[in-house]
PDB file of all heavy atoms in Angstrom:
ATOM      1  N   SER A   1     108.488  55.325 131.215  1.00  0.00           N
ATOM      2  CA  SER A   1     107.903  54.423 132.190  1.00  0.00           C
ATOM      3  C   SER A   1     106.425  54.735 132.566  1.00  0.00           C
ATOM      4  O   SER A   1     105.702  53.870 133.063  1.00  0.00           O
ATOM      5  CB  SER A   1     108.712  54.378 133.447  1.00  0.00           C
ATOM      6  OG  SER A   1     108.822  55.650 134.028  1.00  0.00           O
ATOM      7  N   VAL A   2     106.020  55.956 132.278  1.00  0.00           N
ATOM      8  CA  VAL A   2     104.628  56.376 132.678  1.00  0.00           C
ATOM      9  C   VAL A   2     103.739  56.777 131.501  1.00  0.00           C
ATOM     10  O   VAL A   2     102.563  57.057 131.630  1.00  0.00           O
ATOM     11  CB  VAL A   2     104.638  57.470 133.669  1.00  0.00           C
ATOM     12  CG1 VAL A   2     105.518  57.181 134.855  1.00  0.00           C
ATOM     13  CG2 VAL A   2     105.088  58.805 133.037  1.00  0.00           C
ATOM     14  N   LYS A   3     104.314  56.730 130.253  1.00  0.00           N
ATOM     15  CA  LYS A   3     103.516  57.149 129.110  1.00  0.00           C
ATOM     16  C   LYS A   3     102.255  56.236 128.947  1.00  0.00           C
ATOM     17  O   LYS A   3     102.296  55.013 129.074  1.00  0.00           O
ATOM     18  CB  LYS A   3     104.391  56.982 127.809  1.00  0.00           C
ATOM     19  CG  LYS A   3     105.298  58.105 127.578  1.00  0.00           C
ATOM     20  CD  LYS A   3     106.114  57.933 126.275  1.00  0.00           C
ATOM     21  CE  LYS A   3     107.045  59.076 126.016  1.00  0.00           C
ATOM     22  NZ  LYS A   3     107.878  58.872 124.818  1.00  0.00           N
ATOM     23  N   GLY A   4     101.173  56.845 128.701  1.00  0.00           N
ATOM     24  CA  GLY A   4      99.920  56.147 128.543  1.00  0.00           C
ATOM     25  C   GLY A   4      99.205  55.870 129.813  1.00  0.00           C
ATOM     26  O   GLY A   4      98.094  55.421 129.831  1.00  0.00           O
ATOM     27  N   ARG A   5      99.893  56.109 130.977  1.00  0.00           N
ATOM     28  CA  ARG A   5      99.275  55.893 132.252  1.00  0.00           C
ATOM     29  C   ARG A   5      99.082  57.183 133.029  1.00  0.00           C
ATOM     30  O   ARG A   5      98.104  57.250 133.816  1.00  0.00           O
ATOM     31  CB  ARG A   5     100.114  54.942 133.071  1.00  0.00           C
ATOM     32  CG  ARG A   5     100.335  53.577 132.447  1.00  0.00           C
ATOM     33  CD  ARG A   5     100.999  52.529 133.392  1.00  0.00           C
ATOM     34  NE  ARG A   5     102.333  53.018 133.768  1.00  0.00           N
ATOM     35  CZ  ARG A   5     102.725  53.228 135.073  1.00  0.00           C
ATOM     36  NH1 ARG A   5     101.826  53.042 136.027  1.00  0.00           N
ATOM     37  NH2 ARG A   5     103.989  53.602 135.306  1.00  0.00           N
ATOM     38  N   PHE A   6      99.985  58.090 132.934  1.00  0.00           N
ATOM     39  CA  PHE A   6      99.941  59.348 133.671  1.00  0.00           C
ATOM     40  C   PHE A   6      99.578  60.516 132.802  1.00  0.00           C
ATOM     41  O   PHE A   6      99.893  60.493 131.582  1.00  0.00           O
ATOM     42  CB  PHE A   6     101.254  59.672 134.304  1.00  0.00           C
ATOM     43  CG  PHE A   6     101.687  58.687 135.493  1.00  0.00           C
ATOM     44  CD1 PHE A   6     100.999  57.559 135.740  1.00  0.00           C
ATOM     45  CD2 PHE A   6     102.748  59.054 136.283  1.00  0.00           C
ATOM     46  CE1 PHE A   6     101.390  56.748 136.817  1.00  0.00           C
ATOM     47  CE2 PHE A   6     103.192  58.267 137.285  1.00  0.00           C
ATOM     48  CZ  PHE A   6     102.508  57.083 137.580  1.00  0.00           C
ATOM     49  N   ALA A   7      98.960  61.555 133.323  1.00  0.00           N
ATOM     50  CA  ALA A   7      98.617  62.732 132.574  1.00  0.00           C
ATOM     51  C   ALA A   7      98.840  63.985 133.435  1.00  0.00           C
ATOM     52  O   ALA A   7      98.286  64.056 134.557  1.00  0.00           O
ATOM     53  CB  ALA A   7      97.184  62.657 132.103  1.00  0.00           C
ATOM     54  N   ILE A   8      99.654  64.847 132.972  1.00  0.00           N
ATOM     55  CA  ILE A   8      99.946  66.081 133.660  1.00  0.00           C
ATOM     56  C   ILE A   8      99.052  67.227 133.084  1.00  0.00           C
ATOM     57  O   ILE A   8      98.818  67.223 131.875  1.00  0.00           O
ATOM     58  CB  ILE A   8     101.452  66.506 133.556  1.00  0.00           C
ATOM     59  CG1 ILE A   8     101.792  67.667 134.388  1.00  0.00           C
ATOM     60  CG2 ILE A   8     101.837  66.733 132.080  1.00  0.00           C
ATOM     61  CD1 ILE A   8     103.325  67.964 134.426  1.00  0.00           C
ATOM     62  N   SER A   9      98.608  68.032 133.908  1.00  0.00           N
ATOM     63  CA  SER A   9      97.769  69.220 133.494  1.00  0.00           C
ATOM     64  C   SER A   9      97.961  70.379 134.462  1.00  0.00           C
ATOM     65  O   SER A   9      98.502  70.186 135.489  1.00  0.00           O
ATOM     66  CB  SER A   9      96.281  68.746 133.394  1.00  0.00           C
ATOM     67  OG  SER A   9      95.803  68.420 134.718  1.00  0.00           O
ATOM     68  N   ARG A  10      97.481  71.516 134.072  1.00  0.00           N
ATOM     69  CA  ARG A  10      97.633  72.677 134.871  1.00  0.00           C
ATOM     70  C   ARG A  10      96.330  73.523 134.789  1.00  0.00           C
ATOM     71  O   ARG A  10      95.676  73.579 133.744  1.00  0.00           O
ATOM     72  CB  ARG A  10      98.860  73.523 134.483  1.00  0.00           C
ATOM     73  CG  ARG A  10      98.800  74.055 133.024  1.00  0.00           C
ATOM     74  CD  ARG A  10     100.160  74.635 132.610  1.00  0.00           C
ATOM     75  NE  ARG A  10     100.615  75.692 133.525  1.00  0.00           N
ATOM     76  CZ  ARG A  10     101.906  76.031 133.655  1.00  0.00           C
ATOM     77  NH1 ARG A  10     102.853  75.426 132.929  1.00  0.00           N
ATOM     78  NH2 ARG A  10     102.212  76.988 134.508  1.00  0.00           N
ATOM     79  N   ASP A  11      96.031  74.221 135.851  1.00  0.00           N
ATOM     80  CA  ASP A  11      94.975  75.142 135.932  1.00  0.00           C
ATOM     81  C   ASP A  11      95.552  76.522 136.348  1.00  0.00           C
ATOM     82  O   ASP A  11      95.771  76.737 137.501  1.00  0.00           O
ATOM     83  CB  ASP A  11      93.930  74.731 136.911  1.00  0.00           C
ATOM     84  CG  ASP A  11      92.694  75.605 136.951  1.00  0.00           C
ATOM     85  OD1 ASP A  11      92.779  76.722 136.521  1.00  0.00           O
ATOM     86  OD2 ASP A  11      91.630  75.155 137.470  1.00  0.00           O
ATOM     87  N   ASN A  12      95.822  77.325 135.306  1.00  0.00           N
ATOM     88  CA  ASN A  12      96.460  78.619 135.586  1.00  0.00           C
ATOM     89  C   ASN A  12      95.569  79.620 136.424  1.00  0.00           C
ATOM     90  O   ASN A  12      96.060  80.440 137.160  1.00  0.00           O
ATOM     91  CB  ASN A  12      96.905  79.271 134.296  1.00  0.00           C
ATOM     92  CG  ASN A  12      98.005  78.551 133.633  1.00  0.00           C
ATOM     93  OD1 ASN A  12      98.782  77.807 134.253  1.00  0.00           O
ATOM     94  ND2 ASN A  12      98.153  78.724 132.327  1.00  0.00           N
ATOM     95  N   ALA A  13      94.287  79.384 136.336  1.00  0.00           N
ATOM     96  CA  ALA A  13      93.381  80.212 137.145  1.00  0.00           C
ATOM     97  C   ALA A  13      93.498  79.869 138.653  1.00  0.00           C
ATOM     98  O   ALA A  13      93.218  80.788 139.501  1.00  0.00           O
ATOM     99  CB  ALA A  13      91.957  80.035 136.733  1.00  0.00           C
ATOM    100  N   ARG A  14      93.871  78.691 138.915  1.00  0.00           N
ATOM    101  CA  ARG A  14      94.004  78.219 140.348  1.00  0.00           C
ATOM    102  C   ARG A  14      95.524  78.090 140.792  1.00  0.00           C
ATOM    103  O   ARG A  14      95.781  77.641 141.887  1.00  0.00           O
ATOM    104  CB  ARG A  14      93.228  76.910 140.543  1.00  0.00           C
ATOM    105  CG  ARG A  14      91.720  77.052 140.487  1.00  0.00           C
ATOM    106  CD  ARG A  14      91.082  75.685 140.720  1.00  0.00           C
ATOM    107  NE  ARG A  14      89.645  75.850 140.970  1.00  0.00           N
ATOM    108  CZ  ARG A  14      88.718  75.961 140.064  1.00  0.00           C
ATOM    109  NH1 ARG A  14      89.097  75.993 138.785  1.00  0.00           N
ATOM    110  NH2 ARG A  14      87.467  76.060 140.311  1.00  0.00           N
ATOM    111  N   ASP A  15      96.390  78.426 139.887  1.00  0.00           N
ATOM    112  CA  ASP A  15      97.845  78.235 140.196  1.00  0.00           C
ATOM    113  C   ASP A  15      98.113  76.819 140.705  1.00  0.00           C
ATOM    114  O   ASP A  15      98.847  76.597 141.711  1.00  0.00           O
ATOM    115  CB  ASP A  15      98.288  79.263 141.231  1.00  0.00           C
ATOM    116  CG  ASP A  15      98.309  80.680 140.727  1.00  0.00           C
ATOM    117  OD1 ASP A  15      98.207  80.871 139.502  1.00  0.00           O
ATOM    118  OD2 ASP A  15      98.483  81.612 141.535  1.00  0.00           O
ATOM    119  N   THR A  16      97.593  75.863 140.000  1.00  0.00           N
ATOM    120  CA  THR A  16      97.665  74.479 140.522  1.00  0.00           C
ATOM    121  C   THR A  16      98.087  73.563 139.343  1.00  0.00           C
ATOM    122  O   THR A  16      97.578  73.674 138.174  1.00  0.00           O
ATOM    123  CB  THR A  16      96.320  73.986 141.052  1.00  0.00           C
ATOM    124  OG1 THR A  16      95.997  74.875 142.162  1.00  0.00           O
ATOM    125  CG2 THR A  16      96.487  72.569 141.599  1.00  0.00           C
ATOM    126  N   LEU A  17      98.993  72.627 139.658  1.00  0.00           N
ATOM    127  CA  LEU A  17      99.456  71.651 138.740  1.00  0.00           C
ATOM    128  C   LEU A  17      98.882  70.292 139.212  1.00  0.00           C
ATOM    129  O   LEU A  17      98.782  70.018 140.406  1.00  0.00           O
ATOM    130  CB  LEU A  17     100.949  71.563 138.809  1.00  0.00           C
ATOM    131  CG  LEU A  17     101.668  70.547 137.911  1.00  0.00           C
ATOM    132  CD1 LEU A  17     101.615  70.941 136.403  1.00  0.00           C
ATOM    133  CD2 LEU A  17     103.150  70.417 138.341  1.00  0.00           C
ATOM    134  N   TYR A  18      98.543  69.424 138.254  1.00  0.00           N
ATOM    135  CA  TYR A  18      97.961  68.087 138.550  1.00  0.00           C
ATOM    136  C   TYR A  18      98.797  66.962 137.939  1.00  0.00           C
ATOM    137  O   TYR A  18      99.470  67.186 136.908  1.00  0.00           O
ATOM    138  CB  TYR A  18      96.544  68.011 138.092  1.00  0.00           C
ATOM    139  CG  TYR A  18      95.641  69.055 138.703  1.00  0.00           C
ATOM    140  CD1 TYR A  18      95.267  70.199 137.971  1.00  0.00           C
ATOM    141  CD2 TYR A  18      95.104  68.908 139.958  1.00  0.00           C
ATOM    142  CE1 TYR A  18      94.445  71.178 138.481  1.00  0.00           C
ATOM    143  CE2 TYR A  18      94.304  69.897 140.522  1.00  0.00           C
ATOM    144  CZ  TYR A  18      93.962  70.999 139.768  1.00  0.00           C
ATOM    145  OH  TYR A  18      93.161  71.977 140.329  1.00  0.00           O
ATOM    146  N   LEU A  19      98.653  65.804 138.533  1.00  0.00           N
ATOM    147  CA  LEU A  19      99.132  64.597 137.903  1.00  0.00           C
ATOM    148  C   LEU A  19      98.121  63.476 138.066  1.00  0.00           C
ATOM    149  O   LEU A  19      97.943  63.043 139.242  1.00  0.00           O
ATOM    150  CB  LEU A  19     100.517  64.159 138.477  1.00  0.00           C
ATOM    151  CG  LEU A  19     101.198  62.960 137.771  1.00  0.00           C
ATOM    152  CD1 LEU A  19     101.590  63.323 136.317  1.00  0.00           C
ATOM    153  CD2 LEU A  19     102.405  62.519 138.543  1.00  0.00           C
ATOM    154  N   GLN A  20      97.485  63.107 137.067  1.00  0.00           N
ATOM    155  CA  GLN A  20      96.558  62.009 137.115  1.00  0.00           C
ATOM    156  C   GLN A  20      97.321  60.746 136.841  1.00  0.00           C
ATOM    157  O   GLN A  20      97.957  60.579 135.769  1.00  0.00           O
ATOM    158  CB  GLN A  20      95.384  62.168 136.068  1.00  0.00           C
ATOM    159  CG  GLN A  20      94.394  60.981 136.048  1.00  0.00           C
ATOM    160  CD  GLN A  20      93.607  60.899 137.297  1.00  0.00           C
ATOM    161  OE1 GLN A  20      93.145  61.884 137.839  1.00  0.00           O
ATOM    162  NE2 GLN A  20      93.466  59.669 137.841  1.00  0.00           N
ATOM    163  N   MET A  21      97.266  59.776 137.746  1.00  0.00           N
ATOM    164  CA  MET A  21      98.063  58.542 137.644  1.00  0.00           C
ATOM    165  C   MET A  21      97.022  57.374 137.686  1.00  0.00           C
ATOM    166  O   MET A  21      96.316  57.196 138.586  1.00  0.00           O
ATOM    167  CB  MET A  21      98.989  58.420 138.844  1.00  0.00           C
ATOM    168  CG  MET A  21      99.896  59.612 138.996  1.00  0.00           C
ATOM    169  SD  MET A  21     101.164  59.299 140.283  1.00  0.00           S
ATOM    170  CE  MET A  21     100.127  59.175 141.759  1.00  0.00           C
ATOM    171  N   ASN A  22      97.061  56.681 136.577  1.00  0.00           N
ATOM    172  CA  ASN A  22      96.194  55.478 136.378  1.00  0.00           C
ATOM    173  C   ASN A  22      97.028  54.196 136.165  1.00  0.00           C
ATOM    174  O   ASN A  22      98.258  54.310 135.908  1.00  0.00           O
ATOM    175  CB  ASN A  22      95.299  55.637 135.162  1.00  0.00           C
ATOM    176  CG  ASN A  22      94.335  56.835 135.275  1.00  0.00           C
ATOM    177  OD1 ASN A  22      93.923  57.238 136.319  1.00  0.00           O
ATOM    178  ND2 ASN A  22      94.165  57.535 134.125  1.00  0.00           N
ATOM    179  N   SER A  23      96.411  53.106 136.331  1.00  0.00           N
ATOM    180  CA  SER A  23      97.149  51.819 136.188  1.00  0.00           C
ATOM    181  C   SER A  23      98.408  51.753 136.965  1.00  0.00           C
ATOM    182  O   SER A  23      99.466  51.380 136.421  1.00  0.00           O
ATOM    183  CB  SER A  23      97.350  51.529 134.733  1.00  0.00           C
ATOM    184  OG  SER A  23      96.147  51.522 133.952  1.00  0.00           O
ATOM    185  N   LEU A  24      98.344  52.164 138.236  1.00  0.00           N
ATOM    186  CA  LEU A  24      99.552  52.291 138.970  1.00  0.00           C
ATOM    187  C   LEU A  24     100.204  50.881 139.222  1.00  0.00           C
ATOM    188  O   LEU A  24      99.521  49.884 139.332  1.00  0.00           O
ATOM    189  CB  LEU A  24      99.202  52.904 140.360  1.00  0.00           C
ATOM    190  CG  LEU A  24      99.112  54.479 140.233  1.00  0.00           C
ATOM    191  CD1 LEU A  24      98.305  55.015 141.488  1.00  0.00           C
ATOM    192  CD2 LEU A  24     100.427  55.115 140.130  1.00  0.00           C
TER     193      LEU A  24
END
């Protein structure tokens, strides 16, 4: 349901996980 619209990423130096959500 989110393929092509959402992108998960991580920054291990900052111990942080992200979720970029487009075309909501």
Side-chain angles (χ1 to χ4, degrees):
S1 59
V2 307
K3 278 181 182 176
R5 301 188 297 121
F6 290 12
I8 188 172
S9 62
R10 63 191 301 159
D11 185 340
N12 290 337
R14 291 181 166 82
D15 291 349
T16 303
L17 180 73
Y18 301 101
L19 185 68
Q20 178 67 44
M21 305 186 295
N22 299 324
S23 302
L24 282 160

